[in-house]
Amino acid sequence: MGHEYLTEKRLRALDPQLHSQYKNCVVVSNQMLSRYQSKFPEYTDHSTLHTLEIVDTCNALIGEQIDRLTADDLYVLLMGALFHDVGMGISEKDFCSFYGENFSAEAGHVSKEELQELIRKNHHELSGWFLKKYWRVFDIPNDAYAKAIIQVCRGHRKTNLLDPVEFPEAFFVAEGRSVALPYLAALVRLADELDIAADRNSAFLYDPMLIKNDISRLEFLKHQCIQSVEIRPAGVLVKAVSDDPEICEGVMDTVSKAAEVLHDCRMVVSKRTSFTIQQQRIILDLNSSLMLF
């Protein structure tokens, strides 16, 4: 079964109104996400291109389980993927509302570099906070839908998906209508972790030497040598080519981290939902040598 636009087409078939509401948010989220580039010119991509990659990977991970997802599941998943990184583009005014004026770079309390690092490390919480404040602007049907989408946004980073209070197995968005919150959050978290191929580096793809920061430069070079990430029924195949030992080690570290997230998400979904994540391992093809993670 092809997975291109799987969730979008299924949502449109099941509930055209929810699908329309989701599509109406794409332009607005793109404007928000584009702000991050002025704040993080040397970071990997968190723009709409990254969001589209997340949705495509979720489609591949869902596969034949698509028929078990309700329109509400699909809407929350797509909206969560759409807004999961919106905290990267949050205004400093909103940032200060979240953290307090003592964190204002404009007032000289912290440096711009410190402010950037705070946003980067906590952007999943900032994404959730942003939606909590502005969800009505995005025509989200009610506060319960908003809460579900917020939790998917928060869940894409270091959040405990096993917590039955924060991520209940059946989260009701309307009377008699619930979504599988742990599964949806796990999908976005895993898809986000698997977006490691070269096209993640849109801004500096062809000239990483423009990057001044040594750590950021190595990160871009590492992504640049990863040619593809292929979701297969039993596992994930990552292909990479490099003759630099430092970059090769970095690729192996990245794949190892992604494998840990895969294991954790599989465990969450298995324990807390009736769904499954079929992919059991990551296979790294590095310079035509295969490694299992």
Side-chain angles (χ1 to χ4, degrees):
M1 176 190 295
H3 64 260
E4 291 81 5
Y5 302 103
L6 185 67
T7 47
E8 299 95 320
K9 289 190 289 189
R10 181 66 174 166
L11 176 58
R12 184 175 61 185
L14 292 177
D15 194 321
Q17 183 176 351
L18 280 180
H19 179 263
S20 177
Q21 288 170 313
Y22 158 69
K23 295 295 287 184
N24 289 341
C25 290
V26 172
V27 174
V28 179
S29 69
N30 180 49
Q31 293 172 340
M32 280 294 303
L33 289 167
S34 65
R35 292 184 187 177
Y36 101 93
Q37 291 177 320
S38 64
K39 293 184 174 71
F40 308 99
E42 297 187 349
Y43 285 180
T44 49
D45 184 41
H46 288 77
S47 71
T48 301
L49 293 175
H50 169 58
T51 298
L52 293 173
E53 188 67 29
I54 296 305
V55 172
D56 191 53
T57 301
C58 284
N59 290 338
L61 293 170
I62 292 167
E64 294 181 355
Q65 296 176 102
I66 188 66
D67 292 336
R68 298 180 54 206
L69 291 171
T70 67
D72 299 316
D73 287 317
L74 296 167
Y75 173 72
V76 169
L77 175 65
L78 288 168
M79 289 289 284
L82 193 63
F83 285 101
H84 78 282
D85 274 342
V86 75
M88 293 287 285
I90 199 169
S91 68
E92 188 167 323
K93 180 180 178 181
D94 275 340
F95 178 85
C96 291
S97 295
F98 180 80
Y99 271 108
E101 292 298 328
N102 288 336
F103 287 92
S104 171
E106 191 173 304
H109 295 303
V110 298
S111 69
K112 290 192 179 295
E113 290 75 17
E114 289 172 320
L115 181 64
Q116 287 178 352
E117 188 63 13
L118 280 169
I119 292 176
R120 186 188 68 81
K121 286 185 175 180
N122 300 288
H123 72 275
H124 58 303
E125 297 291 356
L126 289 166
S127 296
W129 178 88
F130 176 85
L131 280 177
K132 184 176 181 181
K133 182 176 181 180
Y134 295 113
W135 66 267
R136 291 176 180 83
V137 174
F138 303 112
D139 202 25
I140 295 173
N142 61 38
D143 59 351
Y145 278 100
K147 173 68 172 176
I149 297 165
I150 286 167
Q151 290 303 91
V152 172
C153 291
R154 292 183 62 242
H156 91 274
R157 289 295 293 269
K158 296 177 181 178
T159 312
N160 183 11
L161 301 184
L162 291 171
D163 187 336
V165 176
E166 291 290 308
F167 296 91
E169 295 177 26
F171 183 91
F172 285 87
V173 293
E175 186 175 354
R177 299 171 66 170
S178 66
V179 297
L181 207 50
Y183 179 54
L184 305 180
L187 284 172
V188 174
R189 177 181 291 189
L190 179 55
D192 184 69
E193 200 66 38
L194 291 174
D195 190 13
I196 56 176
D199 54 7
R200 184 78 194 267
N201 296 342
S202 57
F204 291 94
L205 183 58
Y206 301 108
D207 194 358
M209 299 315 293
L210 289 173
I211 304 171
K212 298 176 182 179
N213 182 279
D214 291 340
I215 296 175
S216 293
R217 188 187 309 113
L218 177 61
E219 191 72 13
F220 273 79
L221 288 168
K222 178 181 65 180
H223 284 296
Q224 191 178 48
C225 81
I226 299 176
Q227 299 177 331
S228 64
V229 177
E230 182 181 347
I231 311 297
R232 296 183 171 185
V236 179
L237 176 64
V238 178
K239 292 185 178 181
V241 176
S242 176
D243 56 6
D244 187 318
E246 184 179 16
I247 294 175
C248 287
E249 183 178 353
V251 169
M252 288 187 284
D253 287 343
T254 295
V255 172
S256 177
K257 180 185 174 186
E260 290 179 9
V261 174
L262 171 60
H263 171 77
D264 290 345
C265 289
R266 277 175 52 84
M267 180 265 295
V268 165
V269 172
S270 175
K271 283 188 174 182
R272 307 209 53 238
T273 79
S274 62
F275 293 91
T276 60
I277 292 177
Q278 285 186 303
Q279 292 72 23
Q280 299 180 32
R281 61 181 61 87
I282 298 182
I283 304 161
L284 173 60
D285 179 347
L286 179 59
N287 298 326
S288 298
S289 295
L290 298 182
M291 290 170 271
L292 299 180
F293 289 83

